[in-house]
């Protein structure tokens, strides 16, 4: 796990504290922003479990404490729902300026309502997921119970939520009552995943129905049958993270996190910064990817090694050449597999070698043909494999012309 403590300022200049978690074995293909539930913090077990499931699937996840909660600055009594939305926008700006703009936003409970409002303001968001979200933010009023009358009469009251005392001011209640989530969901026009438990006693399942009815397609609903509102059962929260990961990939660009600004008149460009070890950004034709070295060689293993890329080119060219020849001949091959590996081997029977320790670059290639072929056809296809363009290039006199450019 690669976990970083981060901080950024909200709209009022107060410091908000968060945790940015990266995948353990690769670079992130997308950044996600997580909004916790009402009066919760970034360290709620469900939030952490969902984040871990997302990072295991290649996402980087920022979870942070809203103003006045957890480690973040500010007084919770002076906040409101609109402030939570502004905090999310500030978090998205932080990611955009320092890492990569978030493409996925996730919210739990009242945080789910907040992400629907925030997603409309954050241009980079391409997918939205809510978990146990209310169809109207003012649903939290019932949590105040007898304190609601005191809040309206005196302007504030201390209420107990989940065993903790919080001072709630009238401006918080007024702000909640001014928000119309169905209207926001209707105008959002971004892919939406709604997850809710039929047994949720805090935010009833009817809320999910109302959000779903208001939103436009593409929209999806997943029942969290048997789960409680706070997803205290670890299996439930991990399931939520896995489902969000799989669903979001349908709407997001899933590439290695590579600088899309790489430009070149050549077919391939490789770029490596001083502090990136061996993790090299590549633009290959119109495709972005990473090259790296194995961990045993001091790399991060975020992508194939240079020689693995060469072997990949040979394997790909071989299967294409075999299938092309077979189709021309009218031979049906259901599938061709080419297994290739690279090594250096001692030269045998080398008459002109100056050293008995001389080695030669060697590609071991095994070809599997699945089809109704006789032995003569198979032997002919083995010969054709040696005629694939990449194979011929590797056997030809090749030159690399290098020049420095500005």
């Amino acid at each position: 796990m690669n976990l970083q403590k981060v901080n950024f300022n909200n709209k009022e200049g107060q410091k908000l504290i968060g945790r940015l978690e990266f995948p353990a074995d690769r670079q992130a293909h997308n950044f996600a922003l997580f909004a916790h539930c009402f009066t919760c913090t970034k360290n709620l077990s469900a939030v952490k479990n969902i984040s871990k499931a997302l990072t295991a699937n290649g996402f980087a996840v920022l979870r942070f404490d809203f103003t006045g909660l957890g480690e973040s600055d500010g007084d919770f009594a002076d906040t409101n729902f609109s402030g939570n939305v502004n905090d999310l926008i500030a978090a998205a700006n932080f990611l955009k300026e320092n890492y990569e703009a978030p493409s996925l936003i996730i919210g739990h409970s009242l945080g789910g309502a907040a992400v629907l409002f925030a997603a409309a303001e954050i241009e980079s968001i391409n997918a939205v997921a809510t978990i146990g979200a209310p169809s109207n933010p003012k649903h939290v009023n019932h949590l105040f119970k007898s304190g609601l009358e005191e809040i309206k009469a005196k302007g504030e009251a201390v209420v107990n939520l989940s065993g903790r005392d919080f001072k709630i001011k009238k401006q918080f209640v007024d702000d909640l009552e001014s928000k119309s989530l169905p209207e926001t969901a209707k105008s959002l026009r971004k892919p939406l995943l709604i997850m809710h438990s039929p047994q949720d006693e805090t935010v009833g399942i009817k809320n999910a129905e109302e959000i779903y009815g208001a939103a436009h397609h593409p929209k999806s609903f997943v029942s969290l049958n048997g789960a409680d509102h706070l997803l205290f059962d670890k299996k439930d929260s991990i399931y939520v993270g896995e489902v969000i990961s799989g669903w979001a990939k349908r709407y997001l660009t899933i590439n290695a996190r590579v600088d899309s600004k790489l430009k070149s008149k050549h077919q391939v460009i490789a770029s490596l910064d001083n502090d990136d070890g061996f993790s090299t950004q590549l633009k290959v034709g119109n495709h972005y990817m990473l090259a790296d070295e194995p961990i045993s060689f001091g790399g991060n293993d975020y992508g194939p090694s240079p020689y693995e890329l060469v072997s990949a080119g040979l394997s790909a060219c071989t299967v294409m050449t075999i299938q092309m020849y077979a189709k021309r001949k009218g031979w049906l091959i259901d599938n061709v597999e080419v297994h290739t590996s690279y090594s250096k081997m001692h030269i045998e029977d080398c008459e002109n070698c100056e050293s008995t320790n001389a080695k030669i670059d060697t590609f071991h290639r095994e070809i599997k043909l699945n089809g109704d072929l006789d032995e003569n056809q198979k032997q002919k296809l083995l010969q054709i494999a040696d005629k694939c363009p990449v194979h011929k290039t590797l056997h030809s006199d090749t030159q690399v012309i290098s020049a420095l450019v500005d």
Side-chain angles (χ1 to χ4, degrees):
M1 179 179 67
N2 184 353
L3 186 64
Q4 298 179 10
K5 183 175 181 178
V6 298
N7 66 81
F8 53 93
N9 292 335
N10 65 8
K11 187 177 181 180
E12 307 302 322
Q14 296 163 314
K15 184 181 292 186
L16 305 184
I17 305 300
R19 297 291 186 274
L20 182 55
E21 189 168 354
F22 292 91
D25 59 350
R26 63 188 122 165
Q27 289 194 345
H29 55 66
N30 280 273
F31 278 66
L33 186 55
F34 200 114
H36 60 68
C37 54
F38 183 54
T39 70
C40 301
T41 72
K42 65 182 181 305
N43 294 323
L44 181 74
S45 60
V47 177
K48 294 169 70 174
N49 291 334
I50 294 169
S51 296
K52 289 182 186 300
L54 286 161
T55 57
N57 282 278
F59 289 87
V61 183
L62 173 60
R63 47 186 170 89
F64 69 97
D65 294 324
F66 283 127
T67 301
L69 293 170
E71 298 179 273
S72 292
D73 291 346
D75 187 343
F76 178 76
D78 294 327
T79 66
N80 56 25
F81 179 76
S82 295
N84 290 349
V85 174
N86 288 332
D87 286 352
L88 285 167
I89 295 172
N93 289 335
F94 165 76
L95 286 176
K96 180 179 180 180
E97 293 168 4
N98 296 277
Y99 297 90
E100 183 177 289
S103 55
L104 171 65
I105 192 166
I106 306 159
H108 183 196
S109 190
L110 190 62
V115 301
L116 286 170
F117 282 90
E121 303 295 328
I122 304 171
E123 185 178 355
S124 63
I125 295 298
N126 292 320
V128 184
T130 65
I131 310 155
S135 58
N136 198 313
K138 68 180 181 182
H139 94 96
V140 298
N141 284 349
H142 81 273
L143 298 176
F144 305 151
K145 297 179 181 178
S146 59
L148 183 58
E149 294 182 2
E150 183 180 349
I151 292 169
K152 291 185 175 181
K154 298 182 179 180
E156 65 180 42
V158 175
V159 298
N160 188 278
L161 301 170
S162 302
R164 299 169 60 198
D165 288 339
F166 291 90
K167 181 185 287 187
I168 305 294
K169 292 184 178 181
K170 186 174 182 295
Q171 55 93 18
F172 197 110
V173 176
D174 291 342
D175 186 52
L176 290 175
E177 294 180 345
S178 71
K179 304 300 179 186
S180 176
L181 190 57
E183 290 182 12
T184 300
K186 184 176 182 179
S187 61
L188 184 60
R189 303 301 177 103
K190 294 183 178 183
L192 174 63
L193 172 63
I194 303 163
M195 308 186 77
H196 214 113
S197 169
Q199 294 81 26
D200 193 329
E201 297 180 355
T202 304
V203 180
I205 188 65
K206 185 72 174 178
N207 289 267
E209 180 183 337
E210 292 174 354
I211 296 173
Y212 187 90
H216 285 272
H217 285 292
K219 56 184 177 181
S220 305
F221 171 76
V222 173
S223 175
L224 302 177
N225 191 51
D228 61 273
H229 181 66
L230 293 180
L231 305 175
F232 279 128
D233 190 325
K234 185 176 181 180
K235 294 194 297 293
D236 291 328
S237 52
I238 291 177
Y239 171 74
V240 166
E242 292 287 349
V243 170
I244 293 175
S245 297
W247 169 82
K249 289 177 181 179
R250 188 177 184 88
Y251 304 104
L252 305 178
T253 301
I254 305 299
N255 288 322
R257 183 172 173 258
V258 177
D259 185 0
S260 61
K261 296 179 181 179
L262 291 175
K263 304 292 183 184
S264 177
K265 64 181 180 180
H266 294 279
Q267 297 164 329
V268 176
I269 178 175
S271 176
L272 180 61
D273 290 338
N274 178 62
D275 56 355
D276 283 340
F278 293 113
S279 301
T280 301
Q281 301 182 59
L282 295 174
K283 182 175 183 289
V284 183
N286 294 320
H287 309 282
Y288 295 90
M289 61 186 69
L290 287 169
D292 209 332
E293 290 287 359
I295 294 175
S296 59
F297 277 67
N300 291 307
D301 201 24
Y302 287 157
S305 70
Y307 275 110
E308 286 172 340
L309 288 169
V310 175
S311 297
L314 177 60
S315 290
C317 186
T318 303
V319 297
M320 292 177 188
T321 301
I322 289 175
Q323 282 285 20
M324 183 174 63
Y325 181 84
K327 289 174 182 176
R328 191 188 312 148
K329 286 288 189 178
W331 302 346
L332 178 61
I333 303 178
D334 296 322
N335 177 262
V336 182
E337 289 183 4
V338 173
H339 304 251
T340 307
S341 59
Y342 165 83
S343 64
K344 282 183 177 289
M345 294 185 62
H346 286 284
I347 300 174
E348 297 178 0
D349 301 324
C350 180
E351 297 179 358
N352 299 316
C353 292
E354 296 181 359
S355 170
T356 56
N357 293 323
K359 293 184 177 182
I360 186 171
D361 294 279
T362 304
F363 290 89
H364 291 273
R365 183 174 57 181
E366 295 181 347
I367 302 170
K368 183 178 181 181
L369 302 171
N370 292 315
D372 187 14
L373 302 168
D374 59 35
E375 189 60 32
N376 288 334
Q377 290 172 321
K378 292 179 181 179
Q379 291 302 316
K380 182 60 179 179
L381 290 172
L382 181 60
Q383 296 174 16
I384 293 300
D386 290 342
K387 297 183 182 299
C388 93
V390 171
H391 182 115
K392 293 170 73 174
T393 296
L394 290 171
H395 274 278
S396 67
D397 292 332
T398 304
Q399 60 180 346
V400 178
I401 301 173
S402 301
L404 293 174
V405 295
D406 295 328

